[in-house]
Amino acid sequence: MKKSIPDTENLLETVALDLSHDFPLLPLRDALVTPGSSTRVLVGREISQNALQASRAYHDLILLALQPDPDKEAVSPEDLPLVGMLAHVQSVLPLPNGCWRVLLEGVVVVDLVHPEKLDERNYFSSKISLRLYPSVDESLTKLVLAEGVRLFEQYADVQNLSVDIVADVKSKGEAFATYMAMLPFVRISPAQKQKALEQETLDGLGRTINAYLQAALDAERVVEHVRDDVQQKMQQNQKDWFISEQIRMLQNEISDGDTDEVEKLVQKVKEKHFSKAIQEKLDEEFARMRLMQPASPEYAVSRNYIDWFLAIPYGVYTDTDLDLKKVKKNLDSKHFGLDKVKERILEYVAVLKQTKAENKAPIICLVGPPGVGKTTLVRSIAESLGRNFARVTLGGVQDEAEIRGHRRTYIGSMPGRFVQALRHAKCMNPVILLDEIDKMGNDYRGDPASAMLEVLDPELNPEFVDHFMEVGLDFSKVLFIATANSEATIPAPLEDRMEVVRLPGYYPHEKLSIAKDYLVPKALKNCGVENKDSIVFDDDSIKTILREYTREAGVRELERMVETIVRKRVKETLMGKSGKLSLTPKLVEKYLGVPRFLSNRLPQPGHFGVITGLAWTSVGGEILLIETKLLSGRGNLLLTGKLGDVMKESAQIALSLVRERLLRFDIDPAMVRKTDIHIHVPEGAVPKDGPSAGIALTLSLLSAFTRTPVSPDIAFTGEVSLSGDLLPIGGLNEKALAAVDAGVKTLYLPKQNEKDIVELPTTAKKGLKIYTKEHIDDLISILFPKAKKKAVRAKKEKNV
């Protein structure tokens, strides 16, 4: 303290004769002066400087009041609190900027009575009355004071206050003086100090100051606890760093600097800019590697793990070429036909260009027989879009780990095929071919088809978790295209996530164009024939190959036959037989040998009991001949040709339908019980099943019983019910292909297959006369005129 208490008392005695007059009032922004303490303040406002000048007439005494809003420039008397401080102006020092530096010493707490602004002198003034703090209970006051002194001693120890300050506070004795001696050293705001001074009693003043001291101690303890935790962690980190550096230096000495490899890997990982989850995982791996010997097996496992992350093209995306005309031109130049598939791809590119939302791309599944160009079409799609291509072969996959990857606990573990495909494609948005998706199996090692669900679901594949990688990878930008030979063997949940696009087999005219425009030039190039005119394939020779040496929906075998002819011709040329070769059907037989297939031709006409049916196989459509022989016996039905259960049931239905209609042909139905019926479907080694031969079986039985032949160039396909209704069948494209190829002229179908006729190619519609019927009797009346006449005559008799 810079001013003694007796001097203050002298000042009070000087003005005690007249406390009724007004004292100048100085508003303070952010400072509060307490009795017995000195404080320096800056005074810049004119109204405040006027009050200081006026205080000279009052023995340098001035009233102080804390301004509630320190940012408010213009203050009115109503804004000031009614509890203030009478202070002594000890010194005033003008500054160059116009402000005054004033040293004030608090004298006594007072109540302001009617503060007002003196307009003629432009400063605030107020009458005062000394503010007294009565003690309600002396014993309580002593207890509160003792608690305050104890708290202040603790506070002084925490804040490193000098011993003299504590001793001075304790020496005051009287409660009010002790509190006023404490208050300047307590780190609280001026507003809080003002609140303490506004207490009505000495006990209230003490409790308020004690509460401030206790809160400050609690806050300091929290800060000290946090400081200790931070210091402890820093010491632990420093210790860990020191130990790891020692280990690193020792390993460098042992392994001749091999541990620098870890730091190189760390740098490579930083350059990849992985996601936060991947970066945290790799940081853990690096921490383990630093504690391992480079020669240990665990080190090799961790190194392999990190190498896989570095091999993934994380964040690398190729630009997709969204020029529809260019994509269409590229597809047309490399693939003949396949109009529906090309149209679907163009629709995909159009939507992608319009929305730019690759994460919602559908999963396309191309379903068709072998050799129709599914795999090469997907490769062409990737080239057309300007994307990288990767192939994942799923045929025969039985282990779920092939899809999700092996866990790192296994020796020789590796990521799944999809992560490997990304590495092979060198980008995160390639076209990935899921080849032979219908040929996946399952055993005790899991169900790979179920594991595929997460890969193909657009809602799940943005965070596909491979067991080896252990963190999510984004597959949402990948364009998945699957291929399959049979839709029936694709698991239902997997098929539900894909859009099936069916590829029918090629028609003969399409195969002819493919051979001339694609296969022959390719074979000449593969065999090194530079002069393309040295070997000429005419249309008749290609048709001979198609008809007599291949039986397929695609063109794979046709390509092999063409290459065989070219190879043989190249051998002859090198052995001295030069000159141009114009291929003829005779030369085809010379180069390829005896024709391999003759059974697909239609039988000779005039045989009753023989009907031409159509069948669907995994390699396309085929002619299915139905032969029926009637023998004397006991009504037995004999079925041969390796028929399935469904086809046997169709034969039973056909027999019931025929027995019901025999009377129309003047045949006693009872003769069925005396006749053995033998139904045979040629090529007995080939399994056959399905309901679509129902019409052909019925007509074959009826032809045998009535001894009426049906022309072999009329083909039938469709299921028949016990009531005689004709039911629709599938695979019409493949069956129509087989019919045209075999020379069928007329085709009868169920009425409900009319919608499928629209999708047949123009050549099939032109090459075949296609009729649809609703009931088996409609066919019987056309093919068996006797039955028609019998029905008309019966109708006339009934009318008579």
Side-chain angles (χ1 to χ4, degrees), residues 383-403:
E383 294 176 2
S384 301
L385 297 177
R387 291 197 184 185
N388 297 346
F389 174 78
R391 178 180 178 183
V392 176
T393 304
L394 300 174
V397 172
Q398 294 180 315
D399 190 355
E400 181 182 342
E402 293 286 332
I403 307 299

Side-chain angles (χ1 to χ4, degrees), residues 144-158 182 206-207 209-215 217-218 221:
V144 174
L145 177 62
E147 177 67 13
V149 172
R150 182 186 69 80
L151 291 173
F152 185 77
E153 287 180 335
Q154 296 179 8
Y155 180 79
D157 183 56
V158 170
M182 291 181 188
R207 287 195 185 95
I209 294 176
N210 289 354
Y212 290 152
L213 287 170
Q214 186 64 55
L217 286 172
D218 293 342
R221 290 191 187 101

Side-chain angles (χ1 to χ4, degrees), residues 426-553:
K426 298 181 181 179
C427 69
M428 297 297 289
N429 63 337
V431 175
I432 293 184
L433 167 63
L434 309 177
D435 207 8
E436 309 291 354
I437 199 171
D438 58 327
K439 294 180 175 59
M440 285 190 298
N442 60 74
D443 57 11
Y444 64 93
R445 291 169 292 184
D447 183 7
S450 299
M452 289 284 294
L453 300 179
E454 183 179 357
V455 184
L456 301 184
D457 195 326
E459 301 297 329
L460 302 177
N461 60 20
E463 282 293 326
F464 173 70
V465 179
D466 185 277
H467 287 164
F468 181 86
M469 310 304 286
E470 297 179 350
V471 289
L473 293 174
D474 185 7
F475 279 82
S476 62
K477 302 294 189 299
V478 176
L479 174 58
F480 291 103
I481 301 181
T483 66
N485 294 134
S486 175
E487 187 178 351
T489 53
I490 302 176
L494 197 57
E495 185 182 4
D496 183 61
R497 285 164 171 78
M498 299 187 296
E499 178 182 343
V500 176
V501 179
R502 295 170 181 83
L503 278 72
Y506 291 113
Y507 288 87
H509 75 282
E510 292 178 326
K511 291 183 180 179
L512 178 62
S513 298
I514 292 171
K516 292 168 59 178
D517 299 336
Y518 298 92
L519 302 184
V520 171
K522 182 180 178 182
L524 294 175
K525 180 181 178 181
N526 292 341
C527 296
V529 179
E530 297 180 359
N531 185 6
K532 297 181 179 180
D533 295 332
S534 60
I535 304 177
V536 179
F537 286 76
D538 62 5
D539 292 357
D540 291 338
S541 61
I542 296 176
K543 290 178 180 178
T544 301
I545 298 173
L546 288 172
R547 185 173 56 253
E548 299 181 357
Y549 293 91
T550 62
R551 179 181 291 181
E552 57 177 348

